[in-house]
Amino acid sequence: MALQTERREKTRTALLKHAKRLMLRHGYEATTTQMILEATGLSKGALYHHFTSKAEIAEAIYVETSRQSIAAASQSVGATRSHLETLRRASLAWLDQIKQPVTARILFELGPQALGWQQAKSIEEEYSLAAMMISLEAAQEAGETALNNPLVTARMLNALMAEAAFLHLEFGDSTRKEVERTLTSFLDALPRPK
């Protein structure tokens, strides 16, 4: 059973690896499932055992990239005394993650193109918004904030970081200091316990 599970995972990994390479090279629309099959040497049955469509493959690539970029950003942040400071540092570290051309193309081009903005946003929120909620709730429990509705704050912060990402991709590091100041001001302005 373990061997079969390993084989399935190996096949899935190969499909995603080759599909990602092809989609980045040719674009989502121009990449066909036949191209993916030829690149992997797998049968249609093997592909459809793992994914029902090319869009589902693109979704898996998008989810994996989103999760990896957030995890890498979180792991790069050392321990701090403040949950808000950890959130600030992790948010800025995420901007460093999306500077990687492959990550940026998947998160801001391939994913939204293949899935549509609504589904891409929904997936992105599942990972980034959830991480922000955990941080804000921890800050609330530690007495760092007195938020009426942490979800509203998390959504506002998530929107701020999405826009910061677009600025960062368009203008590079020239906007970094302003993004840092804005993010710090946003977090410093959160209501504190009385």
Side-chain angles (χ1 to χ4, degrees), residues 131-151:
M132 289 177 183
M133 279 295 297
I134 290 168
S135 293
L136 288 170
E137 287 170 348
Q140 188 96 334
E141 287 176 23
E144 293 178 56
T145 62
L147 303 172
N148 289 329
N149 188 339
L151 178 60

Side-chain angles (χ1 to χ4, degrees), residues 61-81:
I61 292 167
Y62 184 80
V63 166
E64 179 182 290
T65 304
S66 181
R67 264 197 353 243
Q68 286 175 347
S69 66
I70 292 167
S74 296
Q75 290 168 2
S76 73
V77 175
T80 68
R81 290 181 162 163

Side-chain angles (χ1 to χ4, degrees), residues 21-193:
R21 180 181 53 78
L22 290 166
M23 288 179 187
L24 288 169
R25 179 181 294 155
H26 302 289
Y28 173 75
E29 291 296 327
T31 301
T32 65
T33 53
Q34 186 59 40
M35 291 167 73
I36 297 167
L37 292 173
E38 288 170 8
T40 60
L42 295 169
S43 68
K44 269 188 183 178
L47 184 143
Y48 289 116
H49 175 75
H50 293 278
F51 302 102
T52 60
S53 66
K54 182 173 75 167
E56 199 172 281
I57 295 169
E59 179 178 347
I61 292 167
Y62 184 80
V63 166
E64 179 182 290
T65 304
S66 181
R67 264 197 353 243
Q68 286 175 347
S69 66
I70 292 167
S74 296
Q75 290 168 2
S76 73
V77 175
T80 68
R81 290 181 162 163
S82 162
H83 295 285
L84 291 178
E85 179 58 20
T86 301
L87 177 57
R88 186 185 79 78
R89 288 183 187 181
S91 297
L92 294 171
W94 178 76
L95 289 179
D96 294 332
Q97 290 297 311
I98 61 140
K99 281 196 310 190
Q100 299 172 28
V102 169
T103 301
R105 280 207 50 218
I106 291 169
L107 294 181
F108 297 103
E109 184 182 320
L110 177 71
Q113 180 186 30
L115 307 172
W117 278 106
Q118 281 303 110
Q119 188 177 356
K121 182 177 183 285
S122 175
I123 292 167
E124 183 266 334
E125 286 180 351
E126 185 178 336
Y127 297 100
S128 67
L129 186 65
M132 289 177 183
M133 279 295 297
I134 290 168
S135 293
L136 288 170
E137 287 170 348
Q140 188 96 334
E141 287 176 23
E144 293 178 56
T145 62
L147 303 172
N148 289 329
N149 188 339
L151 178 60
V152 170
T153 304
R155 289 181 86 91
M156 295 294 291
L157 179 57
N158 203 35
L160 183 138
M161 291 311 301
E163 192 58 35
F166 287 120
L167 286 169
H168 207 53
L169 291 171
E170 186 175 349
F171 299 108
D173 287 332
S174 67
T175 60
R176 178 66 179 228
K177 287 193 186 310
E178 189 60 32
V179 166
E180 285 185 33
R181 279 194 295 269
T182 302
L183 176 61
T184 299
S185 295
F186 179 88
L187 293 173
D188 286 349
L190 294 178
R192 302 293 195 253

